[in-house]
Amino acid sequence: SIAPTLTSPAVADGYIYVSSYDNASDRSTLVCLDAEDGQEEWIYKMSYNIFSGYSSPAVGYGKVFIATFIGFMDGCKLICIIAEHGNYIWGSTTSDWMMISSPAVADEKLYIASFLENSKLYCFDVNNGNKIWSYTISMQTMSSPAVANTGLYMADTYGNVYCFRSNHPPNNPTINGPTSGKVGKSYTYTFTSVDSEGDDIAEYIIN
């Protein structure tokens, strides 16, 4: 039987995904239910040494993602499952504790925070589980990241809220003006460039 869960369900494309604990097999599980009638579609049973913790699953790009706890010395493992039939795709292990925060998925990236002091915000590739970057928050956090309006938002247990944004460089400028001139004469040039994220642009000319 499935025991009561400490996590929240994720709902997508007519299905419910919830992590729980299977008393019969003594394993943590990820279960997929039909949202219409509650019938079980599939169940993924994790290894005996993996605990699903307090992290709720996230769904995106045809996959289900969940953070699991391996042990005090071994840290946590992110697990990626095919949403349609529950087959394992990849797992990514870190020495950090990520079993409190729930993942957020956007732009083919997965974001999740660790739990201990000097917590970190992690970014992983949803296709293979490779870590793209991490940022040390320097405060303990028990919250989950959220993505909206091109921003990534995070809060810590001391009341601080963080906002992260991608920072792509603007397009190379187009320079219009004379290509030659005379010493001592002034010339006018125009510089045109566009920032894909709408940020202000400052141009500097270096001799």
Side-chain angles (χ1 to χ4, degrees):
S1 61
I2 304 299
T5 179
L6 299 173
T7 68
S8 301
V11 182
D13 301 322
Y15 296 98
I16 303 170
Y17 304 91
V18 61
S19 62
S20 184
Y21 193 84
D22 186 350
N23 290 324
S25 63
D26 193 28
R27 292 188 184 186
S28 291
T29 60
L30 181 63
V31 182
C32 174
L33 306 173
D34 189 301
E36 290 292 329
D37 54 23
Q39 291 296 311
E40 181 182 296
E41 295 294 319
W42 53 258
I43 180 169
Y44 175 80
K45 294 183 180 180
M46 303 174 198
S47 301
Y48 285 108
N49 63 334
I50 292 180
F51 173 57
S52 57
Y54 302 93
S55 180
S56 300
V59 185
Y61 306 101
K63 306 176 180 70
V64 187
F65 308 90
I66 188 168
T68 63
F69 179 61
I70 303 175
F72 293 102
M73 300 300 295
D74 299 315
C76 290
K77 182 177 184 180
L78 283 173
I79 294 177
C80 175
I81 306 296
I82 296 178
E84 183 179 0
H85 44 64
N87 286 356
Y88 176 92
I89 304 177
W90 56 256
S92 183
T93 304
T94 74
S95 58
D96 228 337
W97 290 14
M98 298 182 297
M99 72 288 194
I100 302 294
S101 176
S102 298
V105 179
D107 300 324
E108 296 193 5
K109 298 179 180 64
L110 181 148
Y111 305 96
I112 192 168
S114 62
F115 165 64
L116 299 178
E117 292 291 343
N118 296 319
S119 297
K120 289 183 179 180
L121 178 62
Y122 288 91
C123 174
F124 295 89
D125 189 320
V126 300
N127 298 301
N128 51 36
N130 291 338
K131 186 179 79 171
I132 299 174
W133 55 260
S134 64
Y135 176 84
T136 301
I137 299 174
S138 300
M139 298 287 184
Q140 187 181 55
T141 179
M142 298 178 69
S143 74
S144 301
V147 181
N149 301 324
T150 71
L152 172 63
Y153 303 91
M154 195 65 218
D156 63 31
T157 56
Y158 295 88
N160 300 305
V161 178
Y162 306 84
C163 175
F164 302 85
R165 288 183 60 192
S166 59
N167 188 20
H168 299 103
N171 297 336
N172 291 331
T174 300
I175 304 173
N176 294 314
T179 57
S180 63
K182 296 180 179 181
V183 176
K185 185 177 180 179
S186 297
Y187 298 92
T188 299
Y189 293 84
T190 59
F191 294 76
T192 304
S193 183
V194 176
D195 187 87
S196 61
E197 295 162 342
D199 293 331
D200 293 334
I201 300 173
E203 301 286 355
Y204 297 91
I205 299 176
I206 301 176
N207 293 327

